[in-house]
Amino acid sequence: MKRVGVLVSGRGSNLQALIAAAQEGRLGGEVAVVISNVAEAPALGRARTAGIPALACDHRGTPREEHDRTVLAALQEHGVDLVCLAGYTRLLSSAFLAALPHRVVNIHPSLLPAFPGLDAQRRAWEHGVKVAGATVHLVEEALDAGPIVMQEAVAVRADDTPETLAARILEAEHRIYPRAVRLLLDGRWRLEGRRFIAEPEPA
Ligand code: GRF
């Protein structure tokens, strides 16, 4: 059984989607540990309810590299094959990423490379895009910039508000994140430059 570690900072709805997929045998692995830099994050409660080890690892007052080393040690202790960022609000150090090459993945609420960074759904709405969406990508040091694993487009409606658009994007996130994780764990993929190529299943 492949093992997934999830890093969270807040609500945890994407974590919940990953947990549900694992419970239903759709993830290709199990959620082995959940770690939050925010002790009060509701996401930790979701993990505990599901019987998954849930750790708080406060970053305040600790240099980034040192905090990342602590998180990395906890992930390694739990033998994770893949690390999923699910609303994790911290940038990861190069040492952390170098220890897990191509094994850290993130979900972002826009069609990257449009609207990287915070509040992407509102900025897309304000910009007046007709198609918004969600992206799962491999994590590199630059923010929201790694190879794209999977995307789902969400049409913007004339009567959308930033909130209604964000809600539909979130539904798309919950659909593609478990599917992307399954693909990554499965290992039938390769990178050509920054292009992520999924290989067909053997006949
Ligand atoms: C999601 O919109 C995700 O794309 C972004 O942060 C939000 C986290 O939401 N990176 P949740 O904690 O998974 O509910």
Side-chain angles (χ1 to χ4, degrees):
M1 189 63 121
K2 293 277 172 72
R3 296 168 69 77
V4 175
V6 186
L7 303 187
V8 295
S9 300
R11 176 178 60 179
S13 72
N14 278 289
L15 167 67
Q16 195 74 59
L18 295 174
I19 292 172
Q23 287 169 343
E24 292 161 22
R26 291 185 283 114
L27 195 68
E30 63 183 331
V31 179
V33 63
V34 175
I35 303 173
S36 176
N37 61 315
V38 179
E40 319 75 48
L44 286 177
R46 296 183 192 254
R48 293 193 183 105
T49 302
I52 297 165
L55 316 174
C57 187
D58 197 338
H59 64 277
R60 285 171 298 182
T62 311
R64 182 179 308 279
E65 280 70 27
E66 192 182 327
H67 179 256
D68 277 5
R69 266 199 302 279
T70 308
V71 173
L72 180 64
L75 291 165
Q76 287 170 338
E77 219 167 276
H78 284 83
V80 306
D81 301 287
L82 183 73
V83 176
C84 293
L85 310 184
Y88 190 59
T89 54
R90 307 263 308 153
L91 279 177
L92 293 166
S93 59
S94 48
F96 183 98
L97 293 172
L100 295 160
H102 297 149
R103 285 171 189 274
V104 184
V105 65
N106 183 41
I107 179 102
H108 182 74
S110 79
L111 291 178
L112 290 173
F115 307 107
L118 288 176
D119 216 10
Q121 309 96 317
R122 174 178 293 275
R123 288 188 290 120
W125 180 86
E126 279 171 357
H127 192 90
V129 301
K130 301 302 182 202
V131 182
T135 302
V136 178
H137 65 94
L138 299 181
V139 175
E140 291 180 349
E141 252 184 276
L143 180 67
D144 297 330
I148 291 169
V149 178
M150 204 173 277
Q151 292 185 304
E152 185 174 322
V154 173
V156 180
R157 297 175 187 156
D159 62 351
D160 263 330
T161 63
E163 290 73 28
T164 59
L165 178 59
R168 284 206 312 293
I169 292 173
L170 192 63
E171 288 172 14
E173 294 180 39
H174 298 163
R175 277 190 294 274
I176 62 172
Y177 211 0
R179 283 173 41 215
V181 168
R182 184 181 191 130
L183 176 59
L184 287 163
L185 290 177
D186 190 41
R188 279 198 290 267
W189 58 274
R190 64 181 193 281
L191 289 176
E192 287 183 7
R194 55 161 293 123
R195 291 187 313 126
F196 178 97
I197 319 272
E199 291 161 5
E201 294 194 17

